[in-house]
Amino acid sequence: MISGEAQWTVETVLVWTIDYFKRNSIASARLDAELLLAKACGCQRMQLYLNPELPLTPDEREQVRNDVKQRVAGVPIAYLLGEREFWGLALNVRSGVLIPRPDTEILVEQIHERIKVWKKNNSPDQTCEIAELGTGSGAIPIALASLEKNLRFYCTDISPIAIEVATANARKFQSLWDERSNRIQFIRGDRFEMLASGSQFDLIISNPPYIPSNDIQSLQKEVRVFEPHEALDGGTSGMNFYDYLLTKAPLLLKHEGWLCVEMGFDQAESLTLLIQQHSSMKLVKIVPDYAGHDRVALLQHCKHSPQ
């Protein structure tokens, strides 16, 4: 890296890091360099340009050196920073927890629309009961809690790390619960098997693992090597968790309750065929993401479905 004590200023380190990232094919070279240097210096990104001649302390230099090495090795920037912005909220993330993606904000938008309709049809003070499969960092329920009141979430995940991180994130935004009459419970366990017998929900929501097992190795290194495979692998066809949700939803949803799920950009046809095998669930709409790819499926528990 840079040699010589006098050369370790904010400006020289930033210029060198940007160039080094570019030479190592880091797509967001400038942004990543700014974020890592700001983290090491304990400041905002814009402050780097206000004090370009400021020398780095030995501890700051060591922090930058270590982070740059890890970033070039493929460690996601979110893991190095310890957080990722989602729905305008800075959520804690770390190794072992799936990093929230912008595409999942489409799912949040669509769930919110369903909640607003539900509220119009029910008492304003009535609690909307929501179950989530695979909460990860807790991104989806926390985003929804920032939008609405009187929500109660039951969020499951098989990963103890995910439950730990999601719990910390919920506490980080404690006002969303205390001031909005929202409640959240994180449950460690396999899918919905730990939910109380006889539980009934107004909505079931999920961004489940949906990548076919054989496709995992074709993912970019950041995802393939560093993000948890149990949060990515949807089985041979990528449909394992959808099959489970479609089987379980009629038992857990109230009549006309909603199942809202994210899916892969090329899975609309496969998911539609699978839904046709489950007569209790009706596909209402498939919603595209900002790039025009199919991203969210909205299903409703048929009014006269058999119990």
Side-chain angles (χ1 to χ4, degrees):
M1 204 169 175
I2 301 171
S3 60
E5 294 280 331
Q7 295 182 355
W8 282 86
T9 65
V10 166
E11 182 177 29
T12 54
V13 171
L14 184 59
V15 169
W16 186 93
T17 303
I18 293 170
D19 179 67
Y20 187 60
F21 280 169
K22 287 180 177 178
R23 285 187 279 117
N24 283 274
S25 302
I26 303 296
S28 51
R30 175 174 290 276
L31 176 60
D32 287 9
E34 290 173 348
L35 289 170
L36 293 179
L37 185 54
K39 170 198 168 188
C41 295
C43 67
Q44 299 297 314
R45 284 167 53 206
M46 291 309 299
Q47 291 179 275
L48 299 173
Y49 295 97
L50 299 177
N51 301 287
E53 301 304 319
L54 188 70
L56 273 66
T57 68
D59 286 346
E60 291 168 348
R61 297 192 327 241
E62 186 64 22
Q63 179 74 66
V64 172
R65 181 185 291 112
N66 291 336
D67 284 347
V68 166
K69 287 180 179 179
Q70 291 188 74
R71 185 70 190 99
V72 168
V75 177
I77 188 72
Y79 287 162
L80 294 173
L81 297 175
E83 66 179 29
R84 180 62 168 267
E85 184 173 306
F86 181 84
W87 204 261
L89 305 167
L91 297 175
N92 298 338
V93 293
R94 64 182 174 93
S95 178
V97 178
L98 189 72
I99 299 168
R101 266 65 169 182
D103 284 338
T104 303
E105 294 188 355
I106 306 296
L107 179 58
V108 171
E109 291 173 359
Q110 293 302 315
I111 297 169
H112 186 215
E113 290 300 314
R114 307 284 84 73
I115 292 173
K116 288 193 292 186
V117 172
W118 181 91
K119 284 181 173 287
K120 287 181 181 179
N121 296 327
N122 291 273
S123 166
D125 296 327
Q126 190 171 340
T127 300
C128 184
E129 306 277 343
I130 304 171
E132 181 189 29
L133 183 149
T135 195
S137 63
I140 297 172
I142 292 171
L144 291 167
S146 75
L147 297 169
E148 290 289 348
K149 299 179 180 180
N150 296 318
L151 306 178
R152 180 162 187 170
F153 298 96
Y154 300 82
C155 306
T156 72
D157 206 295
I158 198 169
S159 165
I161 299 175
I163 294 295
E164 181 181 332
V165 170
T167 300
N169 278 324
R171 289 173 179 161
K172 185 177 182 179
F173 298 100
Q174 192 67 42
S175 63
L176 300 182
W177 319 106
D178 295 342
E179 298 172 10
R180 293 172 170 263
S181 298
N182 292 321
R183 289 174 288 174
I184 192 164
Q185 180 180 353
F186 294 108
I187 304 164
R188 182 190 170 192
D190 186 15
R191 307 183 188 191
F192 285 145
E193 302 312 307
M194 300 301 291
L195 294 178
S197 177
S199 297
Q200 290 279 281
F201 302 97
D202 300 294
L203 293 98
I204 292 174
I205 63 178
S206 184
N207 175 18
Y210 55 68
I211 298 172
S213 301
N214 289 338
D215 292 353
I216 298 290
Q217 290 306 311
S218 66
L219 299 175
Q220 63 185 118
K221 183 180 179 181
E222 288 184 25
V223 179
R224 181 183 75 250
V225 175
F226 295 98
E227 294 202 60
H229 280 205
E230 64 267 24
L232 300 168
D233 193 338
T236 302
S237 66
M239 292 286 115
N240 281 13
F241 285 85
Y242 299 113
D243 192 32
Y244 172 82
L245 285 165
L246 288 165
T247 301
K248 201 75 173 177
L251 305 176
L252 294 174
L253 281 173
K254 299 174 185 177
H255 281 313
E256 299 186 330
W258 288 89
L259 171 61
C260 308
V261 296
E262 183 172 326
M263 63 181 177
F265 72 94
D266 59 351
Q267 292 180 321
E269 182 177 356
S270 297
L271 183 54
T272 299
L273 291 172
L274 185 61
I275 293 167
Q276 292 172 357
Q277 301 172 27
H278 296 266
S279 59
S280 294
M281 298 302 298
K282 174 186 176 183
L283 177 61
V284 176
K285 183 164 61 170
I286 290 178
V287 181
D289 58 25
Y290 300 123
H293 299 131
D294 293 330
R295 186 58 60 188
V296 171
L298 305 173
L299 302 91
Q300 193 168 28
H301 187 202
C302 299
K303 186 174 183 180
H304 300 296
S305 60
Q307 292 298 300

